[in-house]
Amino acid sequence: QGPLVESGGASVESGGSLTLSCTYTPSRYCMGWFRQAPGEDREEGVAGLDSDGTTSYADSVKGRFTISQDNAKSTLYLQMNSLKPEDTGRYICAAGGFYTGGVYHCKYNRREHFGTWGQGTQVTVLS
């Protein structure tokens, strides 16, 4: 897996929407989004996307965030709606997964499932 490059971070009003993008080297790996909140050392998992299209989400973002990818553009997306101030953080794209049954699987909150990480893009939600 080559480098991951995120974009799309911005400052947005509470209740607003934002779409993050992550470009990657064409691959069949599982992909995910993590975020690092201000003052926190550790990233928390936000969403995961298996290579067969299965998704997983943190409870805090279910119904508001959607992870998807466009393989023709080698781009992973995170559509974020109804943003809250607690969604503020640096959003980091990751790739990896464990291979079984012809699919690369990953769980959104399992850092050990991901071996390649981007640098992140900053999202600030204003109250």
Side-chain angles (χ1 to χ4, degrees), residues 19-75:
T19 300
L20 305 181
S21 300
C22 170
T23 57
Y24 54 86
T25 301
S27 70
R28 297 171 51 237
Y29 293 117
C30 182
M31 305 288 294
W33 287 97
F34 288 73
R35 70 183 173 199
Q36 185 176 28
E40 296 291 331
D41 290 332
R42 192 173 177 81
E43 305 91 352
E44 64 168 337
V46 174
L49 177 64
D50 288 4
S51 63
D52 67 351
T54 302
T55 57
S56 58
Y57 296 93
D59 287 344
S60 61
V61 307
K62 277 182 182 176
R64 300 189 298 122
F65 290 12
T66 302
I67 186 172
S68 64
Q69 70 184 145
D70 184 336
N71 283 321
K73 296 181 179 180
S74 298
T75 302

Side-chain angles (χ1 to χ4, degrees), residues 30 58 91 93 126:
C30 182
Y91 283 71
C93 174
L126 306 172

Side-chain angles (χ1 to χ4, degrees), residues 6-14 16-21 33-38 46 64-65 78-92 119-126:
E6 303 92 336
S7 62
S11 293
V12 62
E13 295 288 333
S14 180
S17 297
L18 203 59
T19 300
L20 305 181
S21 300
W33 287 97
F34 288 73
R35 70 183 173 199
Q36 185 176 28
V46 174
R64 300 189 298 122
F65 290 12
L78 185 67
Q79 172 67 45
M80 305 185 293
N81 299 323
S82 302
L83 282 162
K84 305 175 181 180
E86 52 263 43
D87 293 320
T88 293
R90 183 167 61 98
Y91 283 71
I92 304 161
Q119 294 298 307
T121 185
Q122 180 66 34
V123 172
T124 302
V125 183
L126 306 172

